[in-house]
Amino acid sequence: MRRSPSFLAGAASAAAVLALALPAPALADSGDGGFTIKDPRITESSGLAASHLHPGIYWTHNDSDDGPYLYAVDSRTGETVATITMKGVGAPRDVEAISLGPDGDLYVGDIGDNLGGKWSYVWIYKLPEPKVLKDQTIRATQYVVKYADGPRNAEALMVHPKTGRVYIADKNEDGGHLYEGPARLSTSGTNIFRSVATIDLWVTDGAFSPDGKQLAVRGYFGGIAYAWNDGKPKRQGRLNVPLQGQGESITYTADGSKLMYGSEGKDSPVQPGSVPGGGSDSKSPSDGGGSSADGGGGGGGGMSSGAEVGALAVAAVLAVFFGMKRLLRKS
């Protein structure tokens, strides 16, 4: 999403200080150990989804001022191996999220709203994940979406891997809500999304685990894991979100063993993190834990002494940053 100059300046300053406070996680040379998106066209990667058909491939997109394009990125090289042009969707306004459903289709959320209520409706696009990775044009189905309680800004769209139901989490600095769509999206009318749970985070993206038992949401400086609990999310604890310049996206690996975190910017990194309560080498997080720069599978919520110092730096920087942000609003 496009930011105001004051936001960008504040975020850049915060990221610079945090980078000094915490060690940057090392990226593996290939695969789900982490990678860097090398395509010069992808400067605002805002959504991320692990392919169901092509091992090691991640789908992403820019969030605005780009067009109806999706990019298939090979995590072993960081190179784009296919560019998909969506046909039949008009001109996207602010594409913020991508998810894969149990039907094998890609769901794309054109759900951003920079002014937090400018547009009375938003769109979801659905198209089949291509069986062959090559540059091609694919016709997408377009769905009109409204919220039962009025327009809002959102950057997180998640499709449940078992039921196929679509969910959206709105983006609110003071915490937001999880919205549930109808059992099946309809092209013949407006699809009303209704609030079903609160989310205690300024959410920039979210994802369901492949087994559908867990929902992970992230923001710029942290994240939360929820047990899905038959559609009644129950908080499990904080995620170990790696330090990133503008953390925008999250997805589970195809096998569910890791979480992958993406960021905006040129040559943006996609970094791995442990899965709370599951995965090959992760542990359940503690509600007392915080964001960590440990992008590997080191642990759920515990922090080392170094991470504790880093967390204090995070808190200090955030206090200054958001204080300045509020002052700028009043001026």
Side-chain angles (χ1 to χ4, degrees), residues 37 42-48 59-63 246 248-249 262-265 268 270:
I37 297 174
I42 305 173
T43 58
E44 292 186 311
S45 174
S46 188
L48 200 64
W59 293 99
T60 190
H61 53 81
N62 287 310
D63 72 353
Q246 187 173 321
E248 286 279 342
S249 58
S263 176
E264 285 197 3
S268 58
V270 176

Side-chain angles (χ1 to χ4, degrees), residues 25-43:
L27 296 185
D29 291 336
S30 62
D32 292 337
F35 60 97
T36 297
I37 297 174
K38 298 179 181 178
D39 192 329
R41 297 172 298 174
I42 305 173
T43 58

Side-chain angles (χ1 to χ4, degrees), residues 267-280:
D267 297 325
S268 58
V270 176
Q271 299 167 238
S274 57
V275 174
S280 58

Side-chain angles (χ1 to χ4, degrees), residues 178-197:
L178 182 70
Y179 289 83
E180 180 182 74
R184 292 290 179 268
L185 296 179
S186 171
T187 58
S188 61
T190 300
N191 296 274
I192 304 299
F193 277 59
R194 304 179 187 281
S195 175
V196 293

Side-chain angles (χ1 to χ4, degrees), residues 24-299:
L27 296 185
D29 291 336
S30 62
D32 292 337
F35 60 97
T36 297
I37 297 174
K38 298 179 181 178
D39 192 329
R41 297 172 298 174
I42 305 173
T43 58
E44 292 186 311
S45 174
S46 188
L48 200 64
S51 171
H52 286 183
L53 297 178
H54 311 287
I57 297 298
Y58 287 82
W59 293 99
T60 190
H61 53 81
N62 287 310
D63 72 353
S64 58
D65 299 333
D66 186 20
Y69 307 119
L70 306 177
Y71 305 95
V73 179
D74 189 337
S75 64
R76 290 161 290 241
T77 64
E79 302 286 352
T80 297
V81 294
T83 301
I84 304 302
T85 302
M86 293 184 288
K87 180 181 179 181
V89 301
R93 292 186 295 207
D94 193 354
V95 178
E96 291 286 354
I98 187 167
S99 182
L100 271 155
D103 50 10
D105 286 345
L106 289 161
Y107 290 73
V108 181
D110 190 355
I111 55 176
D113 186 341
N114 286 344
L115 299 181
K118 177 181 178 181
W119 296 317
S120 60
Y121 61 89
V122 291
W123 296 310
I124 294 173
Y125 313 128
K126 185 178 80 167
L127 66 157
E129 182 178 15
K131 294 182 173 60
V132 177
L133 290 176
K134 64 178 182 179
D135 293 351
Q136 57 190 295
T137 298
I138 299 177
R139 178 169 291 278
T141 302
Q142 179 170 308
Y143 302 98
V144 176
V145 168
K146 287 187 176 183
Y147 302 97
D149 51 0
R152 61 204 54 253
N153 185 30
E155 296 190 8
L157 177 146
M158 301 76 66
V159 183
H160 194 272
K162 301 301 181 183
T163 67
R165 201 156 198 159
V166 182
Y167 295 83
I168 295 173
D170 66 348
K171 183 183 182 185
N172 190 309
E173 185 176 338
D174 299 319
H177 295 83
L178 182 70
Y179 289 83
E180 180 182 74
R184 292 290 179 268
L185 296 179
S186 171
T187 58
S188 61
T190 300
N191 296 274
I192 304 299
F193 277 59
R194 304 179 187 281
S195 175
V196 293
T198 58
I199 299 291
D200 301 322
L201 191 71
W202 194 12
V203 178
T204 60
D205 202 11
F208 282 110
S209 59
D211 62 8
K213 295 181 179 180
Q214 188 175 73
L215 171 66
V217 292
R218 73 159 299 173
Y220 295 119
F221 303 107
I224 301 174
Y226 293 90
W228 186 234
N229 195 32
D230 293 327
K232 300 176 179 64
K234 182 178 180 181
R235 182 180 174 126
Q236 291 179 305
R238 295 186 183 275
L239 298 175
N240 282 332
V241 178
L243 174 64
Q244 295 178 316
Q246 187 173 321
E248 286 279 342
S249 58
I250 186 173
T251 189
Y252 288 81
T253 55
D255 64 2
S257 65
K258 296 178 184 178
L259 283 163
M260 303 293 282
Y261 298 92
S263 176
E264 285 197 3
K266 182 181 179 181
D267 297 325
S268 58
V270 176
Q271 299 167 238
S274 57
V275 174
S280 58
D281 53 2
S282 61
K283 299 176 183 178
S284 296
S286 164
D287 276 330
S291 297
S292 168
D294 178 10

